[in-house]
Amino acid sequence: MCVATAMVVANPARAEVQVNINRADLKPLPIAIPAFGGQQGAEIAQVVQANLQRSGLFLPLDPASFIEKDLNAAVQPRFADWKTINAQALVNGQVTIEGGRIRVDFRLWDVFQEQQLLGLQFTSSPENWRRVAHKISDAVYERLTGEKGYFDTRVVFVAESGARGAVTKRLAIMDQDGANPSYLTGGDSIVMTPRFSPTSQEITYMALKPDSATVYLFNLQSGRRESLGTFPGMAFAPRFSPDGGRVIFSVERAGNSDLFVMNLSSRSSSRLTSDPGIDTSGSFSPDGTKIAFNSDRSGSPHIYVMGADGSAPRRISNGGGRYTTPVWSPTGEYIAFTKQEGGQFHIGVMKPDGTDERLLTSSYLDEGPTWAPNGRVLMFSRETPGGAPKLWSVDVTGRILQPMPYPGAGSDPAWSPLLN
């Protein structure tokens, strides 16, 4: 789907309203998002409101408190009415159907400065109205925080169903807000570690059958699935390079696992590690020059960083416990990981040199972090004793921790880049 955008107006404002996302005492910004005018205007506003509220950075106000009704996107709002209810920002819009296409005009206002901060127009086919709402959410988020949004994205994960001991695992995909879930595979094999390509149009994952384990590439547009090839052992934990031209994965033989990388054009592979320990969960840095991975070569699982050619591996984790599933943030600022210590599991982050380690969560079983494309939020799976795994999210401060709005059981999430 193509969503066209056109800048209408974006007046520069002095001392404008903004969200300082780095403040330790951050309080959500009160924002009013009344129903947009026109067909599906109320639904679009509701999606925008839910996205911004779930970010933890915004406090959407109760529509029952609104004084001004039936706003017109072409007319300046009555700012006094919005100041009265302490709205610091206001989003209003209008939906128009033209020639079988949906057009949404919206405005973002600084209530106390009485100025327009942003005005955009989006067009699309009517069935894709939710994507328009996500793009509006991203635009508002970026204008008020200074960081890219992450709402017009999808998540691929392992959907689980069935009774304990007879669980069916299928590859599934959904919008980041849990909408439009669908299955990509049947239940004939156990699927694990799905990962998006940088283009968001391809997924790599592992399928485990009683007699084999195969790493696949799955094209979301064509539905075509192809194997990366056969290896003299079990291949697992695949992940794309930042340019999408390579896949790093582990191959296990006789109890030993090493990292390999395959060029997808030539299908030639090269071995990156050669160590008696178990080396797995390779993750490229955003610039493609380094790889984070976990290895038990020091006696217990820890996180290491090496050159993209396998050179100069060095351990960066130094705390107690077991470190696994490292994944580099899209900004390159952090490496996220799973940590097991003292009978608890944690999702944590550290700098690529191992400094500034911070544990963001703690529970019976938290594992498998994946980054939102702006590097601000992590998604992971959480399991309670006797319960099924569920998808959760946490921001890099650890303050905003919440379940994802997907009702079913799910694990191994992977966040897509922003969609085009």
Side-chain angles (χ1 to χ4, degrees), residues 67-310:
I67 300 170
E68 184 179 12
K69 311 289 185 182
D70 302 320
L71 280 80
N72 187 325
V75 178
Q76 193 173 85
R78 296 198 305 265
F79 291 111
D81 289 350
W82 300 100
K83 290 178 185 178
T84 298
I85 64 172
N86 198 36
Q88 295 186 34
L90 167 67
V91 178
N92 69 320
Q94 179 69 37
V95 181
T96 308
I97 304 296
E98 296 178 339
R101 302 277 288 174
I102 185 173
R103 191 189 83 196
V104 183
D105 297 274
F106 89 94
R107 307 285 186 269
L108 170 63
W109 304 90
D110 182 329
V111 172
F112 285 88
Q113 290 293 322
E114 300 188 2
Q115 296 191 61
Q116 180 175 303
L117 298 179
L118 191 64
L120 292 173
Q121 180 186 100
F122 294 87
T123 59
S124 182
S125 51
E127 65 269 19
N128 288 312
W129 65 269
R130 291 189 69 92
R131 278 207 62 194
V132 174
H134 292 323
K135 284 187 172 293
I136 292 172
S137 305
D138 283 332
V140 172
Y141 182 99
E142 181 175 359
R143 188 63 180 85
L144 293 178
T145 70
E147 289 192 351
K148 288 284 187 184
Y150 56 91
F151 304 112
D152 188 27
T153 56
R154 292 187 290 179
V155 176
V156 63
F157 63 102
V158 176
E160 302 188 13
S161 59
R164 183 173 289 272
V167 175
T168 297
K169 295 189 176 186
R170 290 183 285 179
L171 202 62
I173 193 169
M174 65 181 182
D175 297 347
Q176 57 77 29
D177 61 351
N180 300 319
S182 63
Y183 295 118
L184 302 177
T185 63
D188 59 333
S189 61
I190 297 174
V191 295
M192 302 171 67
T193 61
R195 303 289 180 255
F196 270 105
S197 74
T199 66
S200 302
Q201 295 305 322
E202 202 163 33
I203 292 166
T204 183
Y205 68 98
M206 170 194 169
L208 181 63
K209 296 183 179 181
D211 58 345
S212 64
T214 307
V215 172
Y216 287 106
L217 298 178
F218 184 94
N219 189 291
L220 290 170
Q221 288 182 316
S222 66
R224 183 171 179 263
R225 186 181 75 167
E226 60 178 315
S227 166
L228 276 188
T230 18
F231 304 92
M234 179 185 291
F236 58 99
R239 189 183 294 271
F240 284 97
S241 61
D243 62 4
R246 293 164 292 164
V247 169
I248 188 171
F249 54 95
S250 297
V251 174
E252 185 272 334
R253 284 177 287 188
N256 180 53
S257 297
D258 282 302
L259 290 167
F260 288 72
V261 66
M262 174 177 283
N263 183 301
L264 295 178
S265 296
S266 65
R267 292 304 172 100
S268 61
S269 60
S270 57
R271 185 172 181 170
L272 297 177
T273 64
S274 182
D275 189 273
I278 296 175
D279 299 335
T280 186
S281 301
S283 173
F284 282 94
S285 60
D287 63 7
T289 63
K290 296 182 177 66
I291 293 170
F293 65 102
N294 77 261
S295 174
D296 66 356
R297 61 182 64 186
S298 63
S300 63
H302 275 274
I303 299 174
Y304 290 75
V305 169
M306 64 182 176
D309 59 356

